[in-house]
């Protein structure tokens, strides 16, 4: 382990510096952060490609700010909550998403909110957040439950299902309804699904597979299929926009909001921008939520007492009916399960930023082309902030309380004294996840709907997660036991 290591005092100093209180820095200004020495020519690329999560998890050994080179780029990994907060909140205007993230957007030819910067981003975010108000989420909630019921009812007793595949189908159906108001069975929803699948296959092969290391200029089959599906989804969105603009009714899906919405200057988003946003929301909202649900199911099936606690809560709150949006505040254990699953397996395991110009973080020099990776995966499992960091313990998120009648009840709580950015599955600062409320609602409602009907037993005994569009679990087989 190389010096300097960050101590609790150093962290306080760093936070004080962020507040404008100048004091001693952690290392002489301008020192590059410590880090592994890669093989000549290929730097750390091979180690990264061989096992990205293991490589990434080893970085805190060099300190809370550590540097490596891979893919011909320089990366700095930040593993301290106070420094994460500094980057995404206090010094937000000094950083942008950066070239590395943008390369991914360019490869997929997807723009939209995630990839927008500056004034353009602000305008888009203001318009789009109208689709994620509590009232809107309430209107999507029933569809989420309908889709979860449809999925679970399609399973038979004793059947082995791939839960990753099933959750991916579930979240895509729920998203297609909320974004486009297209139902499963509608041929137009299939066109959206085709695009999503083609996008997954293409990004797997080009960005996360061998072609990322050994680029070739001959378009692969995955690329050709992706380009075809993209042209088709663009045509579909154009059709739907024309339909919505010609209709009297105000739909509450995102597409309607964009089709009839206006920016403060009275202009409407052009068709191309609407397509971009919808593609981006499919990209950002589908696999992430499916990933969180997959790990939640797998972790639950490994801990009988948590599963029975969850069943008990859902039975007490819902009785003989399915859950609704109004039940959410009472489903504290359900929410704790979702939170804890995302602590251990955050769907986006690290956030990336790049400074606009060379800067200093915790005393270390960060060059202008450097990708700063905020190590969510590492921080979520850091024993400085978490007792039993690798253990699935949803009870850490709840406490017992008494209601007005003196009856005991379980409520959400975060009793441990830890920094705010010790847990940030939805990011933070101005660019925090716009779909956070949507995702938490879907997580709670889907889990509650499922546990009312089935128990799941692990068939896949171990999972080896790989960071792709989200933290991919690989296939997760589980046996269904109908309740
Ligand atoms: C469990 C599910 C989800 C997780 C863990 C998640 C996580 C995140 C995180 C960490 C960020 C911030 C990235 C950064 O700062 O670099 C983000 C941004 C974003 N998320 Fe999510 N997300 C989830 C679901 C959703 C859903 C359901 C939608 C939409 C329907 C969505 C849409 C977006 C968008 C558009 C952004 C970019 C926001 C901006 O740049 O202004 N996400 N998400």
């Amino acid at each position: 382990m190389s010096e300097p290591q960050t101590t609790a005092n150093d962290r306080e100093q760093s936070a004080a510096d962020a507040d404008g209180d100048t004091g001693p820095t952690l290392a002489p200004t301008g020192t590059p952060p410590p880090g592994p020495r890669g093989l000549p020519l290929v730097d750390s690329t091979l180690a990264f490609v061989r096992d990205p999560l293991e490589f990434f998890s080893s970085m805190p050994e060099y300190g809370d700010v550590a540097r490596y080179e891979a893919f011909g780029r320089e990366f700095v990994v930040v593993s301290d909550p106070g420094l994460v907060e500094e980057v995404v909140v206090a010094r937000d205007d000094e950083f942008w998403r950066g070239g590395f993230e943008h390369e991914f957007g360019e490869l997929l030819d997807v723009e939209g909110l995630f990839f927008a910067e500056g004034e353009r981003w602000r305008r888009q975010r203001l318009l789009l957040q109208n689709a994620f108000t509590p009232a809107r989420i309430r209107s999507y909630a029933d569809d989420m439950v309908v889709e979860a019921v449809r999925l679970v009812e399609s399973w038979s007793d004793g059947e082995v299902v791939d839960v990753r595949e099933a959750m991916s189908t579930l979240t895509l159906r729920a998203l297609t309804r909320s974004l486009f108001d297209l139902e499963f069975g509608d041929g137009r929803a299939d066109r959206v699904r085709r695009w999503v699948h083609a996008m997954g296959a293409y990004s797997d092969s080009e960005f996360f597979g061998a072609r990322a290391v050994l680029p070739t200029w001959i378009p692969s089959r995955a690329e050709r299929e992706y380009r075809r599906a993209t042209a088709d989804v663009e045509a579909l969105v154009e059709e739907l926009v024309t339909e919505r603009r010609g209709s009297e009714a105000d739909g509450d899906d995102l597409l309607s909001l964009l089709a009839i919405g206006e920016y403060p200057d009275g202009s409407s988003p052009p068709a191309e921008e609407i397509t971009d946003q919808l593609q981006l929301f499919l990209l950002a909202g589908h696999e992430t939520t499916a990933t969180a649900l997959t790990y939640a199911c797998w972790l639950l099936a490994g801990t009988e007492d948590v599963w029975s606690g969850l069943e008990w809560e859902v039975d007490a709150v819902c009785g003989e009916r399915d859950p609704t949006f109004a039940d959410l505040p009472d489903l504290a254990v359900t929410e704790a399960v979702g939170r804890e699953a995302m602590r251990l397996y955050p769907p986006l395991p690290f956030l990336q930023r790049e400074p606009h110009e060379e800067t200093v973080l915790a005393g270390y020099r960060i060059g202008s082309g450097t990708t700063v990776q905020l190590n969510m995966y590492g921080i979520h499992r850091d024993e400085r902030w978490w007792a039993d960091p690798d253990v699935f313990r949803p009870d850490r998120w709840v406490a017992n309380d008494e209601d007005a009648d003196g009856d005991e009840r379980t409520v959400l709580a975060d009793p441990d004294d830890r920094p705010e950015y010790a847990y940030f599955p939805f990011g933070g600062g101005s660019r925090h996840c716009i779909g956070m409320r949507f995702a938490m609602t879907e997580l709670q409602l889907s889990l509650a709907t499922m546990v009312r009907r089935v128990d799941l037993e692990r068939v896949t005994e171990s999972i080896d997660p790989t960071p792709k569009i989200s933290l991919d679990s690989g296939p997760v087989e589980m046996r269904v036991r109908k309740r």
Side-chain angles (χ1 to χ4, degrees):
M1 201 183 280
S2 71
E3 293 294 323
Q5 277 291 298
T6 312
T7 63
N9 286 344
D10 292 332
R11 275 192 300 280
E12 277 166 23
Q13 185 58 55
S14 158
D17 289 346
D19 290 335
D21 177 3
T22 50
T25 47
L26 301 184
T29 302
T31 308
R37 257 192 259 139
L39 301 168
L41 296 178
V42 290
D43 302 305
S44 297
T45 309
L46 288 181
F48 188 95
V49 169
R50 203 175 301 124
D51 190 339
L53 211 54
E54 193 185 311
F55 176 78
F56 210 71
S57 303
S58 72
M59 291 306 287
E61 287 172 22
Y62 301 93
D64 280 336
V65 182
R67 171 190 173 282
Y68 68 94
E69 285 180 29
F71 309 103
R73 283 178 173 277
E74 183 175 359
F75 295 86
V76 165
V77 179
V78 173
S79 304
D80 172 73
L83 294 175
V84 170
E85 185 165 9
E86 203 174 315
V87 172
V88 299
V89 182
R91 296 171 59 188
D92 178 34
D93 56 348
E94 288 180 43
F95 293 86
W96 64 299
R97 282 216 178 282
F100 191 59
E101 291 256 294
H102 275 264
E103 264 178 32
F104 182 60
E106 281 157 22
L107 173 91
L108 294 180
D109 204 11
V110 170
E111 294 187 17
L113 188 67
F114 194 91
F115 297 106
E117 300 285 342
E119 198 40 49
R120 207 166 139 254
W121 167 78
R122 220 176 311 280
R123 235 163 90 92
Q124 294 185 1
R125 176 108 189 178
L126 274 175
L127 180 64
L128 287 161
Q129 67 197 21
N130 294 327
F132 296 95
T133 59
R136 288 277 182 161
I137 306 285
R138 179 191 297 268
S139 77
Y140 305 143
D142 288 347
D143 286 344
M144 292 173 181
V145 175
V146 167
E147 291 302 347
V149 170
R150 192 200 304 274
L151 175 79
V152 182
E153 304 256 291
S154 74
W155 293 340
S156 43
D157 192 35
E159 183 182 350
V160 172
V161 292
D162 176 358
V163 171
R164 178 185 67 159
E165 182 74 41
M167 295 306 132
S168 176
T169 304
L170 171 64
T171 59
L172 183 53
R173 285 181 186 170
L175 205 54
T176 313
R177 287 176 88 136
S178 320
L179 298 184
F180 299 86
D181 197 20
L182 293 179
E183 277 194 43
F184 170 69
D186 182 329
R188 295 185 297 182
D190 290 335
R191 291 165 68 184
V192 175
R193 252 190 304 283
R194 254 197 308 278
W195 180 79
V196 169
H197 290 146
M199 189 250 307
Y202 176 48
S203 64
D204 269 4
S205 76
E206 301 301 295
F207 215 74
F208 306 109
R211 285 169 69 96
V213 191
L214 302 167
T216 153
W217 305 115
I218 306 165
S220 63
R221 185 159 162 237
E223 174 168 1
R224 279 178 279 131
E225 284 186 5
Y226 176 63
R227 302 286 171 218
R228 243 196 319 270
T230 301
D232 185 49
V233 108
E234 281 167 2
L236 171 67
V237 173
E238 222 167 287
E239 266 169 48
L240 293 169
V241 168
T242 312
E243 222 174 85
R244 298 295 202 284
R245 284 186 173 153
S247 147
E248 298 286 297
D250 281 0
D252 58 10
D253 54 309
L254 181 71
L255 186 129
S256 297
L257 183 114
L258 288 167
I260 58 175
E262 282 183 359
Y263 287 122
D265 63 6
S267 66
S268 302
E272 201 179 305
E273 186 182 314
I274 298 179
T275 313
D276 276 338
Q277 300 296 10
L278 289 162
Q279 288 176 328
L280 189 269
F281 276 74
L282 285 167
L283 175 65
H286 162 230
E287 283 300 343
T288 42
T289 319
T291 299
L293 275 168
T294 303
Y295 287 111
C297 289
W298 188 77
L299 289 162
L300 271 173
T303 41
E304 217 172 288
D305 56 329
V306 179
W307 190 290
S308 10
L310 183 59
E311 267 177 6
W312 188 90
E313 174 179 90
V314 175
D315 286 348
V317 172
C318 304
E320 293 301 306
R321 58 171 179 79
D322 280 311
T324 65
F325 187 79
D327 295 324
L328 294 181
D330 297 322
L331 293 170
V333 175
T334 320
E335 180 164 348
V337 165
R339 282 193 192 186
E340 181 69 348
M342 287 192 289
R343 183 184 69 79
L344 285 171
Y345 298 104
L348 298 184
F350 43 89
L351 308 186
Q352 311 198 95
R353 295 290 187 274
E354 199 178 295
H356 290 292
E357 48 194 51
E358 182 173 303
T359 190
V360 172
L361 186 67
Y364 292 114
R365 186 182 67 232
I366 315 283
S368 65
T370 304
T371 304
V372 176
Q373 298 181 307
L374 307 175
N375 187 1
M376 187 192 294
Y377 185 85
I379 292 174
H380 281 193
R381 288 173 180 252
D382 188 329
E383 59 192 10
R384 288 177 293 179
W385 323 116
W386 304 96
D388 304 330
D390 296 326
V391 182
F392 178 60
R393 270 191 35 205
D395 66 325
R396 65 175 95 236
W397 297 105
V398 289
N400 288 329
D401 189 19
E402 279 185 5
D403 65 15
D405 302 325
D407 293 330
E408 201 166 275
R409 59 177 188 166
T410 304
V411 291
L412 275 174
D414 184 2
D416 294 337
D417 177 23
R418 65 174 75 88
E420 187 174 347
Y421 281 77
Y423 182 71
F424 57 113
F426 293 104
S430 61
R431 303 212 63 148
H432 73 272
C433 177
I434 199 171
M436 176 172 82
R437 209 180 275 135
F438 181 104
M440 283 311 296
T441 301
E442 188 170 13
L443 265 174
Q444 272 180 283
L445 292 177
S446 306
L447 287 173
T449 305
M450 252 184 283
V451 297
R452 286 196 59 245
R453 291 175 164 75
V454 293
D455 286 326
L456 293 171
E457 293 167 4
R458 283 185 186 175
V459 174
T460 297
E461 282 299 338
S462 67
I463 289 184
D464 185 14
T466 319
K468 291 190 178 171
I469 288 180
S470 66
L471 188 61
D472 186 21
S473 57
V476 179
E477 291 196 326
M478 300 184 81
R479 180 165 284 104
V480 175
R481 295 284 176 217
K482 293 253 173 178
R483 276 185 81 189

